[in-house]
Amino acid sequence: MSRPVKRSFSLRGHQTSISLEQPFWDALKDAAEKEGKTPAAIVAEIDEARGDSGLSGAVRMWILDYFRRRRALEDYNGGNRD
């Protein structure tokens, strides 16, 4: 497993950094491309909705949920045989 990589973002005018393992950074970039957004825009959205959880953990959970939801939609659409 890779070691966490730290990256900085500006969120609501404040600099912050988060540490994620490289596969999470890759998945965030992939999700951002699929959504037509930048990774920074997605991190900002996660930050707004995360409540009291840490930002790095919230990003990891968002990535997991994002790809689970995409898989569920693909499975559902794949089962629709008109």
Side-chain angles (χ1 to χ4, degrees), residues 29-38 42 45 62 66 69-70:
K29 182 180 175 190
D30 187 39
E33 287 174 3
K34 288 180 182 353
E35 296 300 312
K37 299 177 182 179
T38 65
I42 290 179
E45 291 173 8
W62 183 92
Y66 177 82
R69 281 184 285 122
R70 283 190 61 90

Side-chain angles (χ1 to χ4, degrees), residues 10-81:
S10 178
L11 302 175
R12 293 176 292 195
H14 294 89
Q15 283 293 116
T16 191
S17 61
I18 59 174
S19 295
L20 299 172
E21 295 75 12
Q22 190 60 49
F24 283 103
W25 287 119
D26 295 341
L28 178 62
K29 182 180 175 190
D30 187 39
E33 287 174 3
K34 288 180 182 353
E35 296 300 312
K37 299 177 182 179
T38 65
I42 290 179
V43 170
E45 291 173 8
I46 295 167
D47 182 50
E48 299 244 344
R50 71 183 165 108
D52 292 332
S53 24
L55 184 55
S56 294
V59 170
R60 284 185 187 93
M61 294 305 297
W62 183 92
I63 291 167
L64 179 63
D65 185 56
Y66 177 82
F67 285 100
R68 282 182 172 169
R69 281 184 285 122
R70 283 190 61 90
R71 176 64 188 259
L73 283 172
E74 288 171 5
D75 288 348
Y76 176 77
N77 289 334
N80 187 3
R81 307 278 187 232

